[in-house]
Structure formats: C-alpha cells, structure tokens
Amino acid sequence: VGVANDWIQVSSGGNHDLGVRADGSLWAWGLNAGGELGTGNLVGSDEPVRVGTDNDWLTSEAGWSTSAAIRQDGSLWTWGTGELGDGATARLTPGRIGSDTDWISVAMELTYALALRR
C-alpha cells in the first residue's frame, strides 16, 4: 500500500481500508462519504492518509461506512456513519466507546459491529 513496507495490520471495508503501521500510527484510504476515514472531513483519498497523530493503535476494522480500532491500552474507538456503539450515528474522527480497557477484537459488517472483551 503506497510506498510503506511496515504495515502490521490492514482491514478492507465496503468502500474504504484501514491499516496500522509498525510505529502504531493509524491510516485510512478510499471513499469517505460518511466520515469513515476518520480524518475530520468528507474528502476521500486514493492514498493512505494518517488518522490523527497518535502512535498507540493496535488493530483496526473497516465496515461499510463505519470504522473501529483498538488502542494498545485496550480502549475501543469508532467513527463514520452508522451505529457507533455509544448512541451516536455519525462522527468524523475516532471517538472512544465507554471507559473499558479490556477490548481485544472488533469485527464490522454492513449494519452492525461486534467486539470482544477479555
């Protein structure tokens, strides 16, 4: 993907992709009609664009127009358009879901998401 060769995890969704690099940074590319790239706007990108400035992302999951990721501290974050897990249905940047820090996996589908805690 692009010129980077240090991807440790990638996920493909309905119209976008997410990836985590070895330094813990989170990246996104594709369409962005619902804010699923998490960049704070609705502008799509054919190349990976960085999501925020944090370097503590562990894994990511791309849904249809929704995205999720887990940080190294075990916190769960979602963004985009859809059921985001905290009553919100739209968010342009990652938002934390609750205060739990024991999330280990997240999976997204067309109209729902599932997450697993320890």
Side-chain angles (χ1 to χ4, degrees):
V1 175
V3 297
N5 61 2
D6 62 345
W7 298 100
I8 60 170
Q9 188 269 334
V10 293
S11 175
S12 293
N15 56 16
H16 71 294
D17 303 294
L18 299 172
V20 177
R21 293 178 60 179
D23 66 357
S25 59
L26 179 63
W27 298 76
W29 58 99
L31 297 179
N32 196 29
E36 59 269 25
L37 297 188
T39 55
N41 58 49
L42 298 176
V43 178
S45 177
D46 292 335
E47 296 290 325
V49 292
R50 187 154 182 185
V51 180
T53 59
D54 297 315
N55 286 337
D56 61 349
W57 297 101
L58 181 64
T59 188
S60 62
E61 179 71 13
W64 187 257
S65 59
T66 309
S67 300
I70 298 174
R71 290 184 184 251
Q72 292 172 3
D73 69 357
S75 59
L76 177 63
W77 298 70
T78 63
W79 61 96
T81 303
E83 299 299 327
L84 299 179
D86 62 355
T89 57
R91 188 168 26 246
L92 296 178
T93 58
R96 187 170 180 166
I97 304 304
S99 59
D100 296 312
T101 57
D102 57 352
W103 298 101
I104 58 172
S105 179
V106 61
M108 305 203 78
E109 292 296 330
L110 181 60
T111 60
Y112 65 93
L114 300 170
L116 181 65
R117 293 173 49 192
R118 286 187 216 284

